[in-house]
Amino acid sequence: MLMGVSRLDVFYRKLLLTKLFIQGWGKPDDLKRIFEFRKIIGDRERCKSLVPKDYPVFIDKVEDETDCKIHEGHFISPLEHQVPGIMPTECVQARFQFIVPKTWRKHRPVCIHLAGTGDHFFWRRRTLMARPMIKETGMASLLLENPYYGYRKPKDQTRSSLKNVSDLFVMGGALILESAALLNWLEREGYWPLGMTGISMGGHMASLAVTNWPKPIPLIPCLSWSTASSVFTTGVLSKAVNWSELEKQYATHTVYEEEIIRMLEYCGTDSFRMGQDFVKNSPSSLDSLSDLDLPAGILNLSRPKKERVALRPQPSGRPNAGELLVGRDRDALDHMLSAVSSSRPHMDMLHAENLMRRGGGGAQRHSLQRESLCFMKGVMDECTHIANFSVPVDPSLIIVVQAKEDAYVPRAGVRSLQEIWPGCEVRYINGGHVSAYLFKQGLFRRAIYDAYDRFLQKYPSV
């Protein structure tokens, strides 16, 4: 049964005025390189040699605290070697803090924490998770700084607002390889058992990283789910996306439609689960795509070819992003997007010019909005959908913690993690995304301890 969404989540998002992806999709050539690399890191067997077991990691200084020692270190992101120049200069050097108890209780367990949206530097994770974990169980924590955050934030980036859609994919690819480098380093240093966690975006990035690790490992993703596509197309963050710029670029550069779509491989079933109440609940007046409240299941770039219906003839025989919906699904989306067209009759000049180039008119603009939204769903699923990556070696070591009324990470119409990772455990907590983050950190830590205990019971001598 579907739950409602948290009012606090919606209210909190309205307080934040920052826009996401203000410069658009990113360079087409960068997207092509990212998608090609995704095919490699999506297959654990193909990744065994990407990060050598002796990959160099350096400790720069050690601070002595009353209950722990804080090691600060760095290393060069392995992504720079694999896809040279894809990261901004500021992102190339990875930084981390390693919070180690002064005395170990049993074994030398370490949990790597990846950062959620807006979690710059280390203070938040150190205070809310790492220090309490030392006090409660004597477990060490390693806090990795995300690319585009903190010390690794490009000079021209405003706060946490990634400039391009492609930046999120670069961040994910980097964190997968950087996590492997750190896990190898921790193993060399004799720490065990090792695991990974994160909250919100950090939980999703940790999930992607663990798919690449060739051994059983505890994973505790909190407030994340199976794909980021729903976050940016149907969740409250979708209202922060700069849809007008994305539409313009999609209309102007045919490379998105004619080349990049062909590289998208995700073949899940998410798009076949459209809610019955979609048309009934569609808004009568919308300002832009950022106002849409679409069920995540309405969009998919990977229907079998026999089910695709072309919106307009393609000279090259290539599909476009609108060739995604058939029957009732497509009629429903047409109905809602017609409300968009009627509510915003005055288009800017560039938008109008591109519609003229395409044969212009309301129907074409209607199609462009649909295609831009579908393209976002497709590229997000390509690089972030868990089903596009290998299944972790032992899913029974995974404990997912999810908020029942999460408005940031919609689960409606999206494949469940239990389906993709048979044997994993999902724990639901009351409330939404924001309240869970503020008040449920203790439950997150409890899940970490339980996952490590489960690991020790199954693999006592690994």
Side-chain angles (χ1 to χ4, degrees):
M1 181 177 67
L2 295 178
M3 301 290 294
V5 297
S6 164
R7 293 183 180 180
L8 177 59
D9 285 0
V10 177
F11 175 74
Y12 182 77
R13 177 58 240 176
K14 288 181 178 179
L15 295 178
L16 304 179
L17 304 178
T18 54
K19 280 283 187 182
L20 296 174
F21 313 134
I22 58 174
Q23 292 186 9
W25 300 104
K27 297 177 182 178
D29 286 346
D30 285 349
L31 284 171
K32 292 179 184 178
R33 296 176 72 197
I34 293 166
F35 293 164
E36 288 294 344
F37 189 64
R38 205 288 309 157
K39 296 174 186 176
I40 297 173
I41 60 173
D43 184 345
R44 186 164 56 240
E45 289 301 309
R46 297 179 66 183
C47 296
K48 288 182 177 179
S49 61
L50 291 186
V51 182
K53 292 185 179 298
D54 60 351
Y55 194 86
V57 174
F58 306 96
I59 297 296
D60 302 315
K61 68 175 181 178
V62 180
E63 295 183 3
D64 199 356
E65 302 284 333
T66 56
D67 58 343
C68 66
K69 290 186 177 182
I70 300 177
H71 305 248
E72 294 198 6
H74 78 277
F75 59 98
I76 300 301
S77 175
L79 186 65
E80 178 65 13
H81 303 302
Q82 298 297 327
V83 193
I86 198 70
M87 288 191 293
T89 303
E90 298 91 340
C91 296
V92 171
Q93 181 171 279
R95 295 171 178 262
F96 65 91
Q97 280 192 354
F98 186 26
I99 294 91
V100 182
K102 288 193 171 181
T103 57
W104 299 95
R105 299 184 187 180
K106 188 177 182 181
H107 308 300
R108 301 173 73 199
V110 180
C111 188
I112 296 177
H113 302 247
L114 299 187
T117 302
D119 190 354
H120 295 258
F121 305 106
F122 308 108
W123 181 88
R124 196 182 302 180
R125 283 172 288 165
R126 187 175 66 239
T127 303
L128 298 179
M129 294 292 283
R131 298 296 280 266
M133 286 170 66
I134 285 179
K135 181 178 180 180
E136 292 167 356
T137 63
M139 183 181 295
S141 294
L142 193 150
L143 318 178
L144 176 61
E145 182 89 272
N146 285 2
Y148 301 94
Y149 278 21
Y151 294 114
R152 308 177 72 181
K153 184 172 77 69
K155 293 181 176 60
D156 58 348
Q157 177 181 302
T158 302
R159 296 185 291 278
S160 308
S161 300
L162 300 181
K163 294 181 297 180
N164 303 293
V165 173
S166 61
D167 293 346
L168 183 67
F169 307 150
V170 172
M171 180 192 290
L175 288 172
I176 289 172
L177 299 186
E178 290 166 16
S179 297
L182 289 171
L183 287 168
N184 282 325
W185 176 70
L186 289 168
E187 277 195 341
R188 295 200 308 269
E189 296 296 314
Y191 296 101
W192 181 87
L194 308 177
M196 295 195 67
T197 189
I199 301 173
S200 191
M201 181 179 71
H204 195 82
M205 295 300 184
S207 297
L208 296 178
V210 163
T211 67
N212 227 252
W213 188 242
K215 302 176 184 178
I217 182 173
L219 168 67
I220 309 88
C222 303
L223 308 183
S224 66
W225 202 234
S226 55
T227 178
S229 64
S230 58
V231 173
F232 297 104
T233 59
T234 68
V236 293
L237 274 184
S238 66
K239 300 181 184 303
V241 172
N242 188 4
W243 288 107
S244 61
E245 180 62 26
L246 295 175
E247 286 180 37
K248 291 175 188 177
Q249 291 185 10
Y250 189 85
T252 304
H253 304 293
T254 58
V255 63
Y256 297 114
E257 179 179 74
E258 295 178 357
E259 297 180 37
I260 293 177
I261 283 179
R262 304 296 296 184
M263 302 179 72
L264 307 183
E265 293 186 339
Y266 173 64
C267 296
T269 59
D270 303 40
S271 67
F272 305 116
R273 301 176 182 178
M274 176 180 162
Q276 294 289 327
D277 59 351
F278 171 69
V279 177
K280 178 180 66 177
N281 293 334
S282 63
S284 59
S285 175
L286 296 166
D287 179 54
S288 69
L289 282 178
S290 62
D291 293 315
L292 305 187
D293 186 19
L294 303 178
I298 197 169
L299 306 169
N300 186 35
L301 283 166
S302 54
R303 279 191 182 273
K305 291 183 179 179
K306 64 182 181 180
E307 296 186 12
R308 289 181 173 173
V309 179
L311 286 177
R312 59 176 183 268
Q314 294 292 300
S316 63
R318 298 179 185 276
N320 61 53
E323 295 178 354
L324 316 174
L325 307 173
V326 294
R328 184 181 58 194
D329 290 13
R330 182 158 155 214
D331 292 341
L333 185 57
D334 287 347
H335 174 82
M336 199 249 312
L337 285 176
S338 66
V340 181
S341 299
S342 62
S343 69
R344 200 172 73 184
H346 302 293
M347 297 177 292
D348 60 74
M349 186 62 68
L350 177 60
H351 207 149
E353 287 175 355
N354 281 290
L355 293 179
M356 290 291 289
R357 174 178 63 79
R358 292 180 174 223
Q364 292 292 341
R365 180 174 179 280
H366 179 96
S367 172
L368 178 60
Q369 291 177 323
R370 171 173 52 236
E371 292 187 31
S372 299
L373 191 63
C374 290
F375 187 69
M376 174 68 88
K377 173 71 163 65
V379 296
M380 283 288 169
D381 277 342
E382 171 65 24
C383 288
T384 72
H385 205 300
I386 293 298
N388 237 12
F389 294 77
S390 298
V391 175
V393 173
D394 187 350
S396 72
L397 302 177
I398 300 171
I399 300 179
V400 181
V401 184
Q402 181 55 265
K404 291 181 179 179
E405 300 174 5
D406 197 324
Y408 281 81
V409 186
R411 298 186 302 280
V414 177
R415 291 180 69 191
S416 72
L417 284 175
Q418 299 104 310
E419 177 187 344
I420 301 168
W421 291 340
C424 74
E425 178 186 350
V426 179
R427 299 179 180 180
Y428 291 97
I429 56 180
N430 292 326
H433 198 90
V434 174
S435 62
Y437 182 84
L438 293 175
F439 306 117
K440 306 296 184 180
Q441 301 271 342
L443 294 179
F444 301 159
R445 296 195 299 274
R446 180 71 264 165
I448 292 172
Y449 308 149
D450 290 346
Y452 274 69
D453 288 343
R454 190 173 299 171
F455 175 89
L456 290 170
Q457 290 173 5
K458 294 191 69 172
Y459 306 98
S461 59
V462 172

